[in-house]
């Protein structure tokens, strides 16, 4: 059985051309893999490069060196070198991402924001809306908010919309960037249940969780990102 | 199913005498893909758009289009009549100023219906029904169908221009600063509309804009132009979140946060 996500010798730095071209190393020699049904948690102090790793894996950050191999429709795709249209295809069908903050689109209702990933995969509107409603219900988002654009929602409400959007598909790999950061205890427990359910379905999860209780509940192992920090090596 | 690019652009340059319009631009546009061309005024993005859409003849280079019959055609070698037919049916062009894309002194319904007649529709009732349907889709009150666009607001005119362009189910739409002259609330409505239509109709589009937020919202892929050349391109998220080139970093860091 192939491993859905393999990261090999990945390195990343930022060159700040507006600051006299100084180079900020972020991570180097990042190598790990995530198996089906496993939840790996990225650990280490703030600023060590955890979010950067997720952003590279999702294609938002370019990679200086190394490979990010994703099993997509039975074939391996190297996201580090894939063309934009392949990256988009992998995102549509295989690789999901729950970011820390919701990017709100004017005039689009919460329900439609959540349903969109299913619609993009050709699921009928009625079915997508039904599934979106189920998820928002489960996450205790008040019904009167469903038809409103999330721009005016509180942080926790926006985050729940974001989680619903990320969990609505059956993507084989899911990246989670602090999905419970602004949630209350009750809703944190709901998210933990949802993660456990994804694991049972065989989804490979990679996440950042600062909340210890959540981390202990979902993590199969913790990957210490400071081991990949080039600054530490230099120090 | 194998898909092939809709548009193949190979080494296109345009010089105005000794001055550079755009130079050595190559890329492919795939079906369903939305490409944003960004850059400041004078960077060559509108010149490039004009070369791609045959409104200007490139000085050198080749632009090929995948016709509905499955053949690639070199646009520069197409006859004038054929090119006009393509522009009126399989392509759309949304101008920054709606007055450039609309006929201001005929009714809104006729503006939409005209393109249908170009593809051979002759049944008045049907043309009117389709026009009505499109006005509704772009959120123009149906009772305005007999009014001239002169009597419309800027935002309505722009939406009418979009309806006029999309009524023939084009496969490729060019847009030149489609939200340029509109205030932000009107912009948001238009962007949402364009985003929905592009998605529902599976359109390919090339959008020239200097507004990076517009590019983020609408495009899959982005090309950044400076002094006539494409200096950086890639997935829209990647270019905006991790700009590599000095000029792109300057552009991204100059966005005002609200």
């Amino acid at each position: 059985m192939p491993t859905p996500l393999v990261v090999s010798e990945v390195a990343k730095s930022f060159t700040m051309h507006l600051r006299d071209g100084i180079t900020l190393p972020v991570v180097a020699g990042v190598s790990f893999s995530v198996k089906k049904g496993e939840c790996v948690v990225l650990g280490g102090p703030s600023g060590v490069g955890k979010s950067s790793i997720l952003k590279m894996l999702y294609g938002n950050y370019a990679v200086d060196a190394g490979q990010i191999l994703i099993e997509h429709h039975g074939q391996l795709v190297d996201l580090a070198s894939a063309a934009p249209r392949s990256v988009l295809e992998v995102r549509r069908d295989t690789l999901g991402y729950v970011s820390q903050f919701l990017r709100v689109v004017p005039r689009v209702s919460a329900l439609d924001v959540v349903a969109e990933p299913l619609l993009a995969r050709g699921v009928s509107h009625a079915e997508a809306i039904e599934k979106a409603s189920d998820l928002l219900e489960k996450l205790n988002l008040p019904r009167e908010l469903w038809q409103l654009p999330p721009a005016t929602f509180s942080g926790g409400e926006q985050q729940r919309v974001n989680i619903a959007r990320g969990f609505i598909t059956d993507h084989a790999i899911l990246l989670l960037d602090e999905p419970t950061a602004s949630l209350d205890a009750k809703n944190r427990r709901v998210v933990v249940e949802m993660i456990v359910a994804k694991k049972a379905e065989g989804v490979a999860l990679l996440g950042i969780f600062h909340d210890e209780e959540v981390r202990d509940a979902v993590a199969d192992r913790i990957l210490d990102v400071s081991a990949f920090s080039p600054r530490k090596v230099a120090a | 199913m194998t898909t092939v690019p809709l548009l193949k652009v190979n080494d296109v340059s345009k010089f105005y005498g000794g001055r550079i319009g755009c130079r050595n631009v190559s890329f492919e546009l795939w079906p369903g893909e939305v490409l944003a061309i960004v850059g400041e005024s004078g960077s060559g993005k509108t010149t490039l758009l004009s070369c791609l859409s045959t409104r200007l003849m490139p000085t050198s280079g080749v632009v090929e289009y995948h016709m509905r019959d499955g053949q690639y055609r070199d646009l520069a070698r197409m006859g004038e009549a054929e090119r006009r037919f393509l522009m009126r049916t399989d392509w759309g062009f949304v101008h920054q100023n709606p007055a450039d894309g609309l006929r201001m002194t005929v009714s809104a319904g006729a503006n939409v219906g005209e393109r249908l007649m170009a593809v051979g529709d002759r049944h008045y009732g049907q043309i009117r029904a389709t026009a009505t349907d499109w006005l509704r889709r772009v959120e123009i009150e149906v009772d305005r169908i007999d009014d001239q666009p002169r009597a419309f607001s800027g935002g309505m005119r722009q939406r009418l221009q979009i309806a006029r362009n999309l009524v023939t189910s084009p496969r490729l739409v060019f847009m030149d600063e489609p939200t340029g002259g509109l205030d932000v609330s009107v912009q948001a409505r238009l962007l949402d509309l364009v985003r929905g239509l592009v998605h529902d109709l599976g359109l390919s589009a090339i959008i020239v804009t200097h507004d990076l937020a517009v590019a983020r919202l609408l495009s899959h892929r982005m090309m950044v132009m400076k002094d006539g050349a494409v200096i950086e391109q890639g997935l829209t998220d990647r270019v905006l979140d991790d700009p590599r080139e000095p000029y792109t970093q300057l552009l991204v860091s100059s966005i005002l946060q609200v």
Side-chain angles (χ1 to χ4, degrees), chain A residues 167-186:
Chain A
F167 277 75
I168 196 166
T169 54
D170 57 357
H171 284 52
I173 308 168
L174 206 46
L175 308 175
L176 307 169
D177 192 350
E178 295 211 54
T180 57
S182 33
L183 299 185
D184 57 24
K186 180 179 161 202

Side-chain angles (χ1 to χ4, degrees), chain B:
Chain B
M1 203 184 84
T2 55
T3 47
V4 293
L6 193 59
L7 194 72
K8 294 201 276 193
V9 180
N10 193 6
D11 210 19
V12 164
S13 299
K14 172 74 186 175
F15 298 98
Y16 300 103
R19 221 158 43 79
I20 294 166
C22 64
R23 60 190 153 99
N24 307 112
V25 178
S26 298
F27 70 93
E28 287 173 343
L29 185 77
W30 294 77
E33 200 172 47
V34 179
L35 171 74
I37 306 176
V38 305
E40 60 198 19
S41 307
S43 59
K45 51 193 198 302
T46 296
T47 296
L48 177 60
L49 193 74
S50 300
C51 287
L52 302 177
S53 58
T54 73
R55 303 165 65 83
L56 268 180
M57 206 44 87
T59 311
S60 63
V62 180
V63 182
E64 286 178 295
Y65 182 66
H66 192 237
M67 305 288 282
R68 282 184 192 255
D69 65 9
Q71 303 294 312
Y72 280 101
R73 293 290 302 278
D74 178 347
L75 295 177
R77 290 167 182 272
M78 237 179 215
E80 182 62 23
E82 204 181 1
R83 197 156 59 220
R84 279 180 162 276
F85 185 72
L86 189 70
M87 290 193 74
R88 281 207 310 251
T89 59
D90 214 21
W91 286 6
F93 197 108
V94 176
H95 297 263
Q96 175 171 9
N97 180 359
D100 294 336
L102 292 172
R103 297 221 282 141
M104 299 302 280
T105 54
V106 305
S107 71
N111 262 290
V112 178
E114 193 180 28
R115 291 239 326 178
L116 284 172
M117 292 173 69
V119 292
D121 267 344
R122 287 294 176 268
H123 188 284
Y124 176 78
Q126 220 151 47
I127 292 174
R128 191 167 170 97
T130 311
T132 307
D133 179 50
W134 267 97
L135 291 184
R136 191 184 45 73
R137 287 179 83 163
V138 299
E139 301 171 11
I140 293 175
E141 299 294 331
V142 172
D143 63 10
R144 305 295 301 269
I145 189 168
D146 295 317
D147 293 352
Q148 296 176 6
R150 282 192 301 185
F152 286 5
S153 68
M156 279 172 76
R157 287 179 188 181
Q158 198 56 298
R159 281 180 275 136
L160 179 63
Q161 193 191 179
I162 287 167
R164 176 180 160 97
N165 273 283
L166 297 188
V167 68
T168 55
S169 311
R171 293 190 298 156
L172 175 59
V173 179
F174 301 96
M175 300 191 192
D176 189 4
E177 303 277 10
T179 58
L182 308 172
D183 33 87
V184 280
S185 60
V186 179
Q187 253 190 41
R189 184 175 188 184
L190 191 80
L191 285 173
D192 176 35
L193 191 80
V194 170
R195 191 169 160 271
L197 289 171
V198 165
H199 180 264
D200 294 347
L201 306 172
L203 289 177
S204 301
I206 301 181
I207 300 175
V208 161
T209 179
H210 66 272
D211 186 336
L212 297 181
V214 169
R216 171 84 89 174
L217 197 61
L218 294 182
S219 72
H220 303 116
R221 228 173 78 197
M222 231 170 96
M223 298 200 310
V224 183
M225 292 189 74
K226 184 176 190 293
D227 303 330
V230 174
I231 55 153
E232 181 162 2
Q233 58 177 313
L235 195 70
T236 298
D237 286 346
R238 204 283 294 155
V239 174
L240 293 177
D241 289 348
D242 183 15
R244 315 287 276 179
E245 293 296 318
Y247 178 68
T248 319
Q249 290 188 355
L250 179 66
L251 273 187
V252 172
S253 67
S254 306
I255 303 174
L256 296 174
Q257 296 283 329
V258 185

Side-chain angles (χ1 to χ4, degrees), chain A residues 5 30 32-35 37-45 48-51 53-54 57 174-180 192 195 199 204-226 228:
Chain A
L5 172 64
V30 181
F32 65 92
S33 62
V34 185
K35 292 201 281 283
E38 188 183 32
C39 179
V40 175
V41 172
L42 298 176
V48 81
K50 300 187 293 293
S51 278
I53 291 178
L54 289 191
L57 263 50
L174 206 46
L175 308 175
L176 307 169
D177 192 350
E178 295 211 54
T180 57
V192 167
I195 293 173
K199 283 168 67 173
L205 295 117
L206 179 69
I208 302 171
F209 300 93
H210 281 139
D211 184 289
E212 259 175 63
E213 194 189 317
V214 176
R215 190 169 50 201
D216 293 346
V218 300
D220 290 300
R221 65 195 161 92
I222 294 178
L223 194 69
D224 185 6
V225 175
S226 11
F228 308 129

